[in-house]
């Protein structure tokens, strides 16, 4: 891709709220040589919007000298020059000669730096770059609350507003002035924006384009900044009634209102109450009855009633984003209802697509297979819990449910909302791993559950047969194929850790006995963490651990990092300090006993995937797969809800910052990877 095309694409993806995708696009552009100032700022902004503050700061660190404004550089040169002149004019030159020399050197250094900066070909003071500088600094301030970040954001916003005089630039400067406790300047800029808005054509009804919503959002913000409730009524009513809504624009408006509320502008809360955040729905539902079903839970003739009930429930919720799987029956009906609404749909498949069709779709007939392929084609995204075969292991279905819930909660956090759970359920249906009942049992907040009871719908159905006898016969034949190869053991969902002691290979022979003695102290720290290990192995400097859940494994991982770092050089007795780097993953694995050693083993392709994440981690850090992070978010959500129900305080324990789609070690493909940290 060309430099401009890649940069414009990143900007579009950020505007659409696709922050993870935008950062992946930035990485591709950077690797292809498109490493311009604007491209890097956009990559950093994508990280910040996704919550990855520390990674964004790492990307930004080399840029700051180039991002200083011309006026700031001139101020620094002038200050250095004044200091040099001050020392020159002092009468006691001899006694102060060293100070004079230092002042002159400082002035010459600043002058040289300024000359180099002025020659920078990337245009650090172009409006495009200045806008990004302002947005990046604002995002950093929102998370770290350092006043200097807000001041720099305001300075850049004011510069670009002076350069262009354009409405969005002046509005950004007005917003930042209000946040910086300069209400007079904020009102002055907002008044200028109001004059520009008054010259545009009146707002109409029926236009749901992002540009139209942005017009209304601008009018709303100006009314809030000027504290004019009368000017708020019409655009607020129009914005609240738009269908379908451009969700990134809605979230952007709500974030601005949060900022202005903090600045003490009372009308901002009124706007937040009127503009609801995106409505996000997680769905779990009963599959269509198999041809050989012993009892009727969801017979084919019930399809119209189930479809109507799902559509009614989505209308009541105002559903705009959906997360689900895609089995024949209620799941595909949910997908189709969401697509009919023009909503986003994120599909999650528990194993390979071919096996999913064979075991979860084909039994219902060719018509449902065609509907499945159409759903995949129109879905916003498709994520696999694992791309391996099913092998008849229902644990993969439960794991997929964890992935759905975790990723939905991550998206809800970015969109300033809380997810709903809609379930199509029958009391007599199977309640095993991965079923609709199982999903309900693992959903922490009963207040956000919306239940569609098949038992109540069956008497209303005329029991029509939309599936032909030929299709049912073929489906029955497919359903009788063996699901599990003979003698194959079950797989279980486990979390896995691979760790490597960085610097181990450079230790001297005499260092090794001391290192092992030091690791006894590491073990005591790990034992104190309270995490229960299912398996732990070590060879050389490598550590391999397996647990049942992600919360304990995350605690174990960060405790291990801190404990190894605390060894240092063991009071100077080790030839160099040590660090550990960690890879974390979750997935289905086999368990057994090693035939040669008689010791317990955990094995499978997901063990290999965990091992391939570790080498790409930075020393002193823990990197985790998307699957691990999804389990972690689901488990933390359950803990938070339990604490709320029992009147206890709950503090989030971990932050997961997106690092991008990384290439794993030993050509093991690419994986969405997160940086696991202690919550700040």
């Amino acid at each position: 891709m060309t430099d401009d095309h890649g940069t414009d694409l990143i900007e579009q993806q950020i505007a659409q709220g696709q922050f993870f995708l935008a950062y992946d696009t930035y990485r591709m552009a950077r690797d292809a040589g498109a490493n311009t100032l604007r491209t890097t700022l956009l990559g950093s902004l994508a990280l910040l919007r996704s919550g990855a503050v520390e990674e964004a700061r790492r990307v930004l660190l080399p840029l700051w000298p180039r991002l200083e404004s011309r006026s700031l550089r001139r101020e620094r040169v002038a200050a250095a020059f004044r200091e040099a002149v001050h020392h020159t004019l002092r009468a006691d030159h001899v006694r102060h000669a060293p100070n004079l020399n230092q002042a002159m050197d400082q002035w010459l250094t600043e002058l040289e730096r300024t000359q180099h900066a002025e020659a920078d070909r990337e245009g650090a003071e172009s409006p495009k770059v200045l806008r990004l500088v302002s947005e990046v600094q604002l995002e950093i301030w929102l998370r770290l609350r350092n006043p200097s970040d807000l001041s720099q954001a305001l300075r850049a916003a004011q510069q670009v507003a002076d350069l262009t005089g354009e409405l969005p630039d002046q509005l950004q400067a007005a917003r930042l002035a209000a946040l910086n406790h300069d209400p007079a300047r904020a009102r002055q800029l907002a008044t200028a924006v109001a004059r520009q808005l008054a010259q545009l054509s009146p707002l109409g009804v029926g236009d749901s384009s992002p540009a139209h919503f942005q017009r209304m959002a601008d009018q709303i913000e100006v009314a809030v900044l000027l504290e004019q409730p009368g000017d708020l009524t019409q655009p607020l009513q129009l914005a609240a009634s738009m269908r379908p809504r451009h969700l990134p624009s809605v979230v952007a408006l709500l974030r601005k209102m949060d900022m202005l509320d903090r600045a003490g502008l009372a009308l901002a809360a009124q706007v937040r109450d009127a503009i609801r955040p995106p409505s996000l729905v997680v769905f779990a539902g009963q599959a269509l009855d198999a041809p050989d079903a012993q009892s009727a839970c969801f017979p084919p003739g019930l399809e119209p009633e189930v479809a109507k009930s799902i559509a009614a429930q989505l209308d009541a919720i105002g559903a705009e984003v959906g997360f689900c799987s895609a089995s024949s029956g209620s799941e595909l009906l949910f997908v189709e209802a969401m697509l009919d609404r023009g909503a986003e749909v994120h599909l999650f498949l528990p194993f390979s697509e071919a096996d999913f069709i064979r075991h979860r779709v084909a039994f219902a007939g060719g018509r449902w297979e065609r509907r499945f392929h159409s759903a995949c084609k129109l879905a916003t995204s498709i994520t696999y819990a694992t791309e391996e075969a099913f092998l008849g292991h229902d644990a993969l279905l439960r794991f997929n449910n964890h992935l759905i819930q975790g990723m939905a909660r991550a998206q809800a956090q970015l969109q300033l909302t809380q997810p709903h759970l809609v379930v199509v359920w029958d009391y007599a249906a199977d309640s095993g791993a991965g079923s609709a009942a199982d999903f309900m049992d693992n959903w922490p907040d009963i207040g956000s559950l919306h239940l569609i009871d098949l038992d109540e719908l069956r008497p209303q159905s005329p029991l029509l047969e939309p599936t032909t006898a030929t299709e049912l016969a073929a489906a029955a034949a497919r359903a009788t194929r063996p699901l599990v190869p003979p003698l194959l053991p079950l797989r279980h969902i486990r979390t896995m850790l691979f760790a490597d002691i960085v610097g181990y290979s450079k230790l001297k022979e005499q260092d090794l006995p001391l290192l092992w003695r030091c690791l006894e102290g590491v073990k005591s720290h790990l034992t104190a963490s309270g995490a229960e290990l299912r398996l732990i192995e070590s060879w050389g400097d490598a550590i391999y651990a397996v647990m049942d859940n992600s919360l304990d494994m995350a605690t174990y991982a960060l405790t291990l990092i801190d404990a190894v770092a605390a060894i240092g050089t063991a009071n100077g007795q080790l030839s160099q300090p040590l660090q550990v780097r960690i890879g974390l993953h979750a997935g289905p694995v086999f368990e057994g006993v090693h035939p040669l050693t008689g010791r317990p083993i955990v094995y499978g392709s997901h063990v290999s995937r965990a091992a391939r994440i570790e080498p790409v981690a930075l020393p002193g850090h823990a990197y985790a797969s998307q699957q691990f992070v999804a389990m972690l978010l689901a488990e933390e959500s359950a803990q938070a809800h339990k604490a709320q129900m029992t009147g206890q305080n709950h503090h989030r324990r971990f932050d997961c910052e997106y690092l991008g789609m990384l290439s794993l070690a030993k050509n093991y493909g690419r994986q969405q990877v997160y940086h696991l940290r202690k919550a700040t």
Side-chain angles (χ1 to χ4, degrees):
M1 67 178 66
T2 64
D3 289 6
D4 288 344
H5 174 70
T7 303
D8 291 343
L9 180 58
I10 300 167
E11 197 163 42
Q12 291 170 15
Q13 290 166 343
I14 291 174
Q16 293 163 1
Q18 298 175 322
F19 307 129
F20 294 161
L21 181 59
Y23 182 61
D24 288 339
T25 305
Y26 155 71
R27 286 172 55 88
M28 291 173 59
R30 182 197 63 191
D31 294 344
N35 198 23
T36 66
L37 194 58
R38 181 171 164 234
T39 304
T40 308
L41 284 167
L42 284 167
S44 303
L45 183 60
L47 281 171
L48 287 164
R49 293 277 171 84
S50 70
V53 182
E54 293 301 324
E55 181 65 13
R57 293 177 73 183
R58 187 184 68 79
V59 172
L60 285 167
L61 187 61
L63 295 185
W64 292 129
R66 294 160 60 191
L67 293 176
E68 289 181 341
S69 66
R70 181 180 289 113
S71 59
L72 188 60
R73 290 194 294 266
R74 286 173 177 169
E75 286 176 14
R76 197 170 53 248
V77 171
F81 180 74
R82 285 194 296 271
E83 184 68 13
V85 170
H86 169 75
H87 285 290
T88 302
L89 296 177
R90 297 283 293 273
D92 47 348
H93 288 170
V94 176
R95 187 155 57 91
H96 290 279
N99 291 338
L100 171 60
N101 292 335
Q102 290 173 9
M104 291 298 293
D105 287 343
Q106 179 65 26
W107 172 50
L108 292 172
T109 298
E110 295 294 348
L111 187 61
E112 185 178 6
R113 284 179 57 189
T114 298
Q115 289 170 341
H116 284 304
E118 294 291 344
D120 193 324
R121 294 182 296 106
E122 295 191 270
E125 292 196 352
S126 71
K128 287 183 177 180
V129 170
L130 285 169
R131 288 188 191 104
L132 287 172
V133 171
S134 178
E135 290 185 48
V136 164
Q137 293 282 17
L138 175 59
E139 293 292 338
I140 293 174
W141 174 78
L142 285 169
R143 288 160 177 80
L144 303 181
R145 298 295 171 168
N146 187 335
S148 66
D149 291 321
L150 182 59
S151 297
Q152 291 181 55
L154 176 57
R155 183 193 295 268
Q158 187 61 68
Q159 279 185 275
V160 72
D162 292 342
L163 284 170
T164 70
E166 295 178 5
L167 187 152
D169 298 327
Q170 293 202 60
L171 195 50
Q172 169 81 337
R175 183 185 314 122
L176 290 172
L179 288 172
N180 212 37
H181 305 294
D182 189 353
R185 181 61 177 154
R187 290 181 65 85
Q188 179 187 1
L189 289 164
T191 300
V193 174
R195 286 196 294 267
Q196 292 186 54
L197 287 170
Q199 296 172 7
L200 301 176
S201 57
L203 290 171
V205 179
D207 186 351
S208 60
S209 67
H212 190 68
F213 186 91
Q214 190 57 54
R215 275 277 309 281
M216 290 182 282
D218 291 344
Q219 289 197 357
I220 289 168
E221 189 168 9
V222 167
V224 171
L225 285 164
L226 296 177
E227 299 182 283
Q228 295 177 343
D231 293 344
L232 195 60
T233 305
Q234 184 198 21
L236 197 55
Q237 289 175 345
L238 289 173
S241 64
M242 279 186 67
R243 298 292 184 275
R245 304 189 300 170
H246 184 245
L247 300 186
S249 299
V250 172
V251 174
L253 176 59
L254 292 174
R255 293 179 83 239
K256 291 170 185 174
M257 291 304 107
D258 282 340
M259 287 186 271
L260 295 181
D261 189 26
R262 293 192 190 110
L265 294 164
L267 293 179
Q270 180 181 334
V271 174
R272 285 209 320 265
D273 292 341
I275 304 293
R276 64 178 176 84
S279 181
L280 191 151
V281 176
V282 176
F283 183 85
Q286 180 65 33
L288 204 69
D289 288 344
D292 57 350
Q294 299 300 310
S295 59
C297 292
F298 187 171
L302 198 58
E303 178 188 332
E305 290 297 330
V306 175
K308 184 167 67 175
S309 296
I310 290 173
Q313 190 63 255
L314 299 183
D315 285 341
I317 296 172
E320 295 169 297
V321 184
F323 289 75
C324 64
S325 192
S327 299
S328 293
S330 58
E331 289 176 352
L332 279 175
L333 291 177
F334 169 77
V335 173
E336 291 169 350
M338 291 292 286
L339 292 173
D340 286 344
R341 299 173 62 85
E344 294 180 23
V345 177
H346 300 276
L347 293 182
F348 293 79
L349 302 185
F351 32 81
S352 70
E353 181 179 302
D355 257 18
F356 188 82
I357 293 172
R358 181 182 175 192
H359 297 293
R360 307 292 294 179
V361 180
F363 71 87
R367 184 170 66 93
W368 285 93
E369 287 192 49
R370 292 189 292 274
R371 292 164 80 168
F372 169 79
H373 287 297
S374 177
C376 291
K377 183 178 180 180
L378 297 174
T380 307
S381 69
I382 302 176
T383 301
Y384 291 87
T386 175
E387 295 190 48
E388 279 73 41
F390 175 36
L391 305 181
H393 297 162
D394 287 346
L396 273 65
L397 302 175
R398 176 176 287 170
F399 182 48
N400 196 51
N401 288 350
H402 284 309
L403 186 61
I404 291 171
Q405 184 182 162
M407 289 297 98
R409 292 192 181 280
Q411 185 72 7
Q413 187 175 7
L414 291 177
Q415 295 190 340
L416 311 178
T417 189
Q418 292 293 327
H420 300 265
L421 175 64
V422 174
V423 179
V424 172
W425 172 79
D426 184 83
Y427 74 95
D430 173 48
S431 58
S435 66
D438 185 44
F439 206 128
M440 277 195 295
D441 290 343
N442 287 281
W443 184 262
D445 182 11
I446 197 71
S448 62
L449 170 64
H450 309 268
L451 194 63
I452 298 172
D453 191 342
L454 289 171
D455 188 49
E456 295 178 0
L457 296 182
R458 279 193 292 269
Q460 304 174 31
S461 171
L463 296 179
L464 300 174
E465 289 291 343
T467 305
T468 68
T470 302
E471 287 180 319
L472 286 176
R478 286 191 291 270
T480 59
R481 294 173 182 170
L483 298 180
V484 186
L487 303 179
L488 194 65
L490 292 176
R491 284 175 292 180
H492 305 273
I493 304 305
R494 302 289 184 242
T495 60
M496 292 150 280
L497 171 150
F498 273 86
D500 173 69
I501 299 177
V502 181
Y504 176 86
S505 61
K506 296 181 181 179
L507 291 175
K508 298 176 181 179
E509 180 74 9
Q510 60 267 31
D511 289 334
L512 298 180
L514 175 61
L515 171 63
W516 300 126
R517 289 198 299 273
C518 290
L519 289 178
E520 292 178 5
V522 171
K523 181 181 178 181
S524 66
H525 283 288
L526 296 175
T527 303
S529 72
E532 294 186 11
L533 287 164
R534 183 169 287 273
L535 175 74
I536 185 164
E537 297 281 358
S538 179
W539 49 95
D541 61 332
I543 301 168
Y544 167 43
V546 180
M547 293 187 190
D548 290 350
N549 67 73
S550 58
L551 279 171
D552 283 348
M553 184 61 90
T555 301
Y556 190 87
L558 298 185
T559 301
L560 178 60
I561 288 173
D562 290 343
V564 171
I567 292 175
T569 60
N571 296 322
Q573 297 180 62
L574 288 176
S575 56
Q576 65 174 38
L578 300 176
Q579 287 182 298
V580 66
R581 63 183 173 208
I582 291 176
L584 298 164
H585 182 52
V589 294
F590 295 108
E591 296 180 342
V593 176
H594 197 289
L596 299 181
T597 66
R599 298 170 60 183
I601 54 172
V602 174
Y603 60 99
S605 62
H606 284 271
V607 176
S608 301
R609 181 162 293 272
R612 301 302 179 256
I613 295 172
E614 174 266 309
V616 303
L618 291 173
H621 297 275
Y623 284 10
S625 68
Q626 183 184 54
Q627 290 88 340
F628 183 92
V629 169
M631 281 192 69
L632 185 68
L633 292 172
E635 290 174 16
E636 278 216 308
S637 176
Q639 280 201 350
H641 185 70
K642 182 179 179 180
Q644 181 183 7
M645 296 301 293
T646 56
Q648 299 175 345
N649 291 326
H650 177 266
H651 300 287
R652 192 179 77 255
R653 293 161 57 187
F654 303 103
D655 286 332
C656 301
E657 298 189 346
Y658 186 62
L659 295 176
M661 182 75 74
L662 303 187
S663 296
L664 303 185
K666 298 186 179 181
N667 298 316
Y668 211 78
R670 291 167 64 79
Q671 169 81 50
Q672 288 182 302
V673 175
Y674 293 74
H675 189 177
L676 179 74
R677 297 178 182 274
K678 293 177 182 177
T680 54

